[in-house]
């Protein structure tokens, strides 16, 4: 196919193809593309004709991509990234009048402890933009960036897609949240013997804190796991239960309450809270502005 032949190809079909490959479900793809399911079904039929391949084969309630579909996706994605980047760089950005939709991935601690101040500033500078927050963690970040579900994410991170970029926002220091009325600081023995609550995205009952304790040949007694930080405020109040949380989440949790946040009675290996984004949006003026606000309001205080 030469360049003139490309005029016969609807580039919107390629966007739908990419979404279908990630979602493997017509309904979810339609929702993500803001289209009706019949329109996506019709597009899939046109794609099958264009590439002379079934592309997606039904397997129960989902579709599985064919080998040729996977090969096409591998070839198309870099080209679509290049086109998207070129179009993005060609436009100007004025936060006061812009009406973009920003899709941000946030870990629960970042959403609870740091996002409100960021949102207030965004609303002040760019009152017409729309913010969509998706819950992420280090397990989900890569796939959500790669699929375009988010353009930027804030979380503890590990492996990332090859075209992703990362910037450290702050070191994640921790505090021990407590709701008892005893004034003395916690000893290590008391920390280990008292019941603990933790926030667990997946429902696990251990985390990095337990690894730090294991290096001291100690352990804690976790009796409760909850899915988000906001519930800790009422759970901890007036009880013997402890919760070890990032310092910025602790500051938000104790505000206006009788809870307090102490330093842990042992040394920890702190992790980093990072901002990651797709290389496709690296030079997009709107995304650069958003990332600058994230650095300003989610980064290390005074940095």
């Amino acid at each position: 196919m030469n360049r003139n032949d490309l005029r016969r190809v609807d580039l919107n079909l390629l966007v739908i193809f990419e979404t279908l490959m990630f979602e493997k479900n017509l309904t979810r793809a339609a929702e993500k593309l803001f289209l009706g399911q019949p329109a996506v079904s019709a597009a899939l039929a046109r794609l099958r004709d264009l590439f002379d391949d079934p592309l997606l084969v039904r397997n129960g309630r989902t579709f599985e991509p064919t080998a040729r579909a996977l090969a096409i996706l591998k070839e198309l994605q870099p080209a679509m990234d290049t086109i998207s980047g070129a179009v993005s760089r060609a436009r100007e950005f004025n936060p006061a009048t812009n009406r973009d939709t920003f899709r941000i991935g946030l870990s629960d601690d970042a959403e609870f402890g740091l996002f409100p101040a960021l949102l207030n500033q965004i609303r002040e500078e760019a009152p017409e933009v729309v913010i969509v927050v998706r819950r992420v963690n280090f397990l989900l970040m890569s796939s959500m960036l790669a699929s375009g579900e988010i353009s930027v994410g804030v979380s503890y991170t590990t492996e990332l897609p090859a075209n992703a970029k990362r910037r450290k926002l702050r070191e994640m220091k921790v505090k021990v949240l407590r709701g008892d009325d005893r004034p003395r600081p916690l000893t290590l023995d008391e920390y280990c013997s008292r019941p603990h609550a933790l926030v667990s995205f997946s429902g696990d009952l251990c985390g990095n804190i337990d690894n730090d304790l294991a290096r001291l040949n100690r352990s804690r007694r976790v009796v409760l796991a909850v899915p988000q930080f906001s519930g800790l405020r009422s759970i901890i109040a007036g009880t013997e239960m402890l919760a070890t949380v990032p310092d910025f989440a602790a500051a938000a949790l104790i505000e206006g309450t009788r809870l307090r946040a102490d330093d842990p009675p042992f040394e920890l290996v702190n992790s980093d809270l990072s901002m990651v984004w797709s290389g496709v949006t690296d030079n997009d003026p709107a995304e650069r502005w958003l990332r600058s606000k994230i650095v300003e309001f989610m980064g290390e205080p005074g940095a």
Side-chain angles (χ1 to χ4, degrees):
M1 178 179 286
N2 60 39
R3 295 295 176 89
N4 285 333
D5 291 331
L6 280 175
R7 290 181 300 173
R8 297 188 288 107
V9 178
D10 182 355
L11 292 182
N12 289 319
L13 284 177
L14 304 184
V15 176
I16 294 173
F17 169 74
E18 183 182 43
T19 304
L20 281 168
M21 289 294 289
F22 282 112
E23 297 297 334
K24 301 181 181 65
N25 180 284
L26 292 179
T27 301
R28 289 200 303 269
E31 290 173 351
K32 184 173 179 181
L33 293 162
F34 301 102
L35 295 173
Q37 186 172 324
V40 175
S41 297
L44 178 57
R46 292 174 62 192
L47 284 162
R48 286 168 168 164
D49 182 63
L50 175 65
F51 292 115
D52 192 24
D53 187 84
L55 300 178
L56 292 164
V57 180
R58 184 173 290 281
N59 181 9
R61 295 185 177 181
T62 64
F63 287 88
E64 293 299 328
T66 64
R68 175 153 170 72
L70 292 171
I72 293 169
L73 180 67
K74 186 175 181 179
E75 292 183 357
L76 277 180
Q77 275 196 294
M80 293 177 69
D81 287 348
T82 300
I83 293 170
S84 178
V87 172
S88 296
R89 288 190 291 274
R91 66 178 183 140
E92 295 181 353
F93 175 73
N94 181 352
T97 58
N98 188 271
R99 295 188 175 183
D100 278 1
T101 296
F102 293 110
R103 298 184 181 275
I104 308 173
L106 296 176
S107 57
D108 185 64
D109 53 348
E111 180 185 350
F112 181 76
L114 299 173
F115 180 62
L118 170 65
L119 180 61
N120 288 340
Q121 188 63 27
I122 291 175
R123 297 295 304 148
E124 181 175 329
E125 294 186 29
E128 299 299 320
V129 304
V130 176
I131 305 294
V132 177
V133 175
R134 299 291 302 275
R135 182 64 49 78
V136 300
N137 64 4
F138 71 97
L139 296 173
L140 298 175
M141 185 74 81
S142 291
S143 62
M144 294 181 76
L145 279 173
S147 67
E149 293 176 75
I150 58 173
S151 63
V152 61
V154 175
S155 178
Y156 164 76
T157 59
T158 53
E159 297 299 320
L160 295 172
N163 71 336
K165 297 180 179 293
R166 171 166 32 201
R167 173 172 175 167
K168 175 182 173 180
L169 292 175
R170 58 167 68 205
E171 188 176 7
M172 293 178 66
K173 303 179 179 69
V174 303
K175 294 285 188 179
V176 180
L177 193 70
R178 53 190 296 193
D180 61 83
D181 56 6
R182 294 190 294 279
R184 68 179 186 274
L186 289 167
T187 65
L188 179 57
D189 286 341
E190 187 177 5
Y191 179 90
C192 292
S193 65
R194 284 174 60 168
H196 286 255
L198 59 75
V199 177
S200 173
F201 186 88
S202 61
D204 292 338
L205 294 176
C206 62
N208 290 336
I209 301 298
D210 300 282
N211 297 331
D212 293 322
L213 285 169
R215 281 187 281 270
L216 301 174
N217 293 318
R218 303 298 294 266
S219 62
R220 61 177 174 170
R221 186 164 59 94
V222 176
V223 300
L224 174 69
V226 294
Q228 55 193 28
F229 281 83
S230 57
L232 289 177
R233 181 183 283 120
S234 57
I235 290 170
I236 298 293
T239 74
E240 291 289 294
M241 202 174 297
L242 306 174
T244 308
V245 301
D247 56 354
F248 52 84
L253 283 163
I254 67 175
E255 185 176 0
T257 74
R258 297 180 63 182
L259 300 178
R260 65 188 191 275
D262 289 356
D263 291 327
F266 58 99
E267 290 190 10
L268 296 97
V269 178
N270 294 322
S271 55
D272 294 335
L273 185 72
S274 296
M275 175 176 68
V276 297
W277 65 97
S278 170
V280 176
T281 63
D282 191 39
N283 290 313
D284 182 291
E287 293 287 339
R288 285 203 309 265
W289 173 83
L290 174 63
R291 293 196 300 269
S292 73
K293 297 296 112 180
I294 291 174
V295 171
E296 182 178 354
F297 287 91
M298 290 188 163
E300 200 77 51

